[in-house]
Amino acid sequence: MQRTAPDPRPDPPVGLPVLPDLAAHLSAAAGRTEAEPLGGAAALRTAACGYWARRGLETAPEQVLAAPGVTALLLALYAVADGAVVLPRPCSASYAPPARLLGRPVHYAPVPAESGGLPDPFALLETVRRARMHGDSPRVLVLSVADDPTGTCPAPEQLHEVCEAAAEEGLWVLSDETRRDLLHDPHDTVVLSPVEILPEAVVVLTDLRASLTPASWPAALARFPGTDRGAVLRTAALDALVGLGVPLPGPIACAVTHALGEPDTVRARTAAVARVYGALAAALHHTVTEAGGLCRPPRAGSHVYADLEPLRRPLAAHGIVESTALERRLAPWAARGGHRFGDDPGALRVRLGAEALLGTGQELRQRVLDASDPLELPHITEVLTALSRVLSELTAPVDG
């Protein structure tokens, strides 16, 4: 099977300026010499319980694990699940590599037309059936309720159907809720966690770099079910993390513990980031659809997923016939081809990122955060105009 070349660009990207409050806590802990316990110290895990309680998920410290990034948690969870992994197509670029590193089979089930983040329930059942026909044993389904790469949130009724199918097939559900705090319109978008549907069979994952801490601070959490089965899974996952030897850096753990308490400064920053990304993602969506492409309206996070298949003929005239070529041509707009998200490499689909509109340098990015309407800033207007111009050139009607 052909493998996608590794993507050297960071995800999350370089991002926005570090919040002074968090920088001060990191600086204060810079002299710490003792190692953070693998899985997270009691203080950090207790702070994580408060973080989830404010989101309606009562949690005890013994249900929590912390690690330097979601990849480490996925690696541990895939290892102990000991079976094939089922993923939506497309899905976050972080989901498949840990499974492949362990030699676990990966099976993709296409997402429905309405949103990404979870597979169509009938496609899920068929994917599991076919996997078993070929001798694989699917054990894990990864979902995302605020999806990367599509920037969408599945409707509660869709999630119910998928969770019922997962339960029917005996799958553990890993619910990636990294971007649920980055809803563009919290009053108009309902986000339901799978743990509210299958409380005994869902592990919640969140990469704190998306909304709570700077992009360069690796910190992620896992919340396990408060059941005997959940405790067994957590113990096994902790053993795997111990084997990996990947604790959170001590000074970062101190700053993360403070951030999980969500003081006013942290809450205000998260709200500002959601507002800015909402405006920029909406502008990208408008630019893509105005050019004739298809694109689900973004509801969360900083990305849109553009489908330019309706424009294949004019794009082919420019030598663009697969997602790798589309990625290269649209690189200035943080483009990543669909092949990086498990999608068909021959399809003309690409993720575009709002980070491409933020500008270069922390001073300019701070101006974006502070602006009442970031779309009025000249450098953002220029970048959007350039994207519109390039798409117009690439998709102009072909004679003959």
Side-chain angles (χ1 to χ4, degrees):
M1 180 175 63
Q2 185 177 4
R3 297 289 174 86
T4 299
D7 189 346
R9 290 169 291 181
D11 197 4
V14 174
L16 295 160
V18 177
L19 191 64
D21 182 26
L22 296 184
H25 275 80
L26 180 66
S27 178
R32 174 179 170 176
T33 57
E34 67 271 19
E36 179 77 0
L38 285 156
L44 188 153
R45 290 183 286 110
T46 299
C49 293
Y51 168 86
W52 271 310
R54 288 187 292 276
R55 288 151 182 81
L57 297 179
E58 293 300 325
T59 306
E62 58 270 18
Q63 291 175 248
V64 179
L65 284 181
V70 163
T71 298
L73 290 172
L74 286 173
L75 194 63
L77 287 162
Y78 291 165
V80 301
D82 193 25
V85 176
V86 182
L87 303 176
R89 183 194 295 272
C91 67
S92 169
S94 67
Y95 295 166
R100 292 186 174 128
L101 184 64
L102 291 166
R104 303 287 192 263
V106 175
H107 299 273
Y108 289 98
V111 302
E114 296 83 2
S115 70
L118 46 72
D120 176 90
F122 297 105
L124 171 61
L125 293 172
E126 180 63 13
T127 298
V128 171
R129 185 186 71 82
R130 288 180 178 273
R132 289 175 177 154
M133 282 180 57
H134 289 88
D136 290 337
S137 299
R139 304 287 188 199
V140 173
L141 169 66
V142 185
L143 305 178
S144 177
V145 295
D147 184 45
D148 168 43
T150 66
T152 60
C153 301
E157 55 270 23
Q158 290 178 302
L159 185 63
H160 270 282
E161 292 176 357
V162 170
C163 286
E164 289 172 0
E168 180 181 329
E169 298 300 332
L171 303 177
W172 272 104
V173 174
L174 306 186
S175 175
D176 181 0
E177 302 185 8
T178 292
R179 292 167 178 79
R180 69 173 296 168
D181 291 337
L182 295 180
L183 299 181
H184 301 161
D185 186 351
H187 303 293
D188 190 47
T189 304
V190 177
V191 174
L192 183 68
S193 172
V195 77
E196 299 175 63
I197 304 169
L198 301 174
E200 298 184 357
V202 175
V203 177
V204 177
L205 301 174
T206 183
D207 188 335
L208 300 176
R209 297 177 302 163
S211 60
L212 207 64
T213 65
S216 59
W217 296 11
L221 301 172
R223 178 197 181 275
F224 292 79
T227 62
D228 290 343
R229 187 177 177 221
V232 169
L233 182 63
R234 181 192 179 277
T235 298
L238 177 57
D239 288 343
L241 288 177
V242 170
L244 291 171
V246 285
L248 280 171
I252 287 181
C254 291
V256 166
T257 300
H258 172 74
L260 284 168
E262 296 183 287
D264 290 344
T265 54
V266 172
R267 289 201 303 273
R269 168 57 69 88
T270 300
V273 171
R275 175 182 59 80
V276 166
Y277 281 159
L280 300 185
L284 286 172
H285 173 266
H286 173 75
T287 303
V288 168
T289 55
E290 191 176 51
L294 301 176
C295 189
R296 297 178 180 90
R299 296 284 181 257
S302 59
H303 301 123
V304 298
Y305 198 63
D307 185 350
L308 302 186
E309 279 294 320
L311 304 168
R312 175 170 286 276
R313 186 181 179 194
L315 287 171
H318 294 272
I320 300 174
V321 295
E322 76 289 305
S323 63
T324 53
L326 195 57
E327 176 183 276
R328 287 193 298 270
R329 187 64 184 85
L330 299 180
W333 296 275
R336 291 187 179 183
H339 60 286
R340 300 196 183 278
F341 309 106
D343 217 338
D344 178 1
L348 292 173
R349 290 189 278 271
V350 65
R351 189 190 76 174
L352 302 175
E355 61 267 22
L357 309 181
L358 296 175
T360 303
Q362 297 304 303
E363 181 178 350
L364 197 57
R365 293 181 174 204
Q366 187 63 51
R367 287 179 57 197
V368 176
L369 264 181
D370 295 338
S372 57
D373 183 359
L375 297 180
E376 292 181 351
L377 294 175
H379 75 277
I380 291 179
T381 301
E382 290 174 7
V383 176
L384 287 170
T385 300
L387 174 60
S388 180
R389 182 171 58 250
V390 167
L391 289 175
S392 294
E393 293 171 355
L394 293 176
T395 59
V398 179
D399 294 334

